[in-house]
């Protein structure tokens, strides 16, 4: 699912080193209404809710916004020194 991992990273404000599965495990929230279900069934429902939230966000805002927010998130971190940071530094030097 394109953009899911990036959306999860921004949402958690952490975990850029994790794939979407690892991110999802950290963010899954149990619903008290699912209490009668097994742990596995509860996890599946919680994952379904997380996916639904992502797809609704992506539908409403577009994939470009997902990646734009992720790029902005990267630039707010101190450790990131990738190509996006280098482009921003070059652009500031030109001004």
């Amino acid at each position: 699912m394109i953009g899911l991992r990036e959306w999860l990273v921004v949402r958690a404000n952490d975990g850029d080193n994790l794939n979407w599965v690892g991110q999802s495990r950290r963010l899954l929230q149990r619903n008290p209404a699912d209490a009668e279900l097994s742990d596995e069934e509860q996890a599946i429902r919680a994952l379904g809710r997380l996916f639904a939230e992502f797809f609704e966000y992506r539908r409403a805002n577009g994939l470009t916004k997902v990646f734009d927010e992720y790029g902005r998130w990267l630039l707010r971190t101190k450790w990131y020194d990738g190509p996006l940071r280098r482009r921003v530094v070059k652009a500031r030097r030109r001004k």
Side-chain angles (χ1 to χ4, degrees):
M1 288 175 264
I2 297 173
L4 177 61
R5 189 189 83 78
E6 292 76 14
W7 178 77
L8 291 168
V9 168
V10 172
R11 184 168 184 222
N13 194 29
D14 190 24
D16 194 51
N17 60 326
L18 299 173
N19 62 19
W20 73 264
V21 175
Q23 278 287 5
S24 297
R25 284 186 179 144
R26 295 176 68 203
L27 293 172
L28 289 180
Q29 297 178 357
R30 305 289 175 141
N31 186 333
D34 295 339
E36 75 284 354
L37 301 174
S38 71
D39 286 345
E40 184 175 304
E41 290 170 319
Q42 287 183 43
I44 291 168
R45 284 196 179 184
L47 186 58
R49 287 189 294 270
L50 190 65
F51 284 169
E53 187 178 339
F54 167 68
F55 287 127
E56 176 58 29
Y57 183 87
R58 195 172 86 170
R59 184 197 62 72
N61 298 288
L63 194 54
T64 301
K65 182 164 175 86
V66 171
F67 284 104
D68 178 64
E69 289 176 344
Y70 176 67
R72 291 174 188 271
W73 180 86
L74 282 174
L75 291 172
R76 287 192 305 267
T77 66
K78 292 180 181 180
W79 55 263
Y80 176 73
D81 65 352
L84 184 60
R85 171 95 61 212
R86 289 189 290 270
R87 279 188 220 131
V88 169
V89 169
K90 280 184 184 178
R92 288 183 182 157
R93 287 181 189 157
R94 286 186 213 145
K95 289 182 179 183

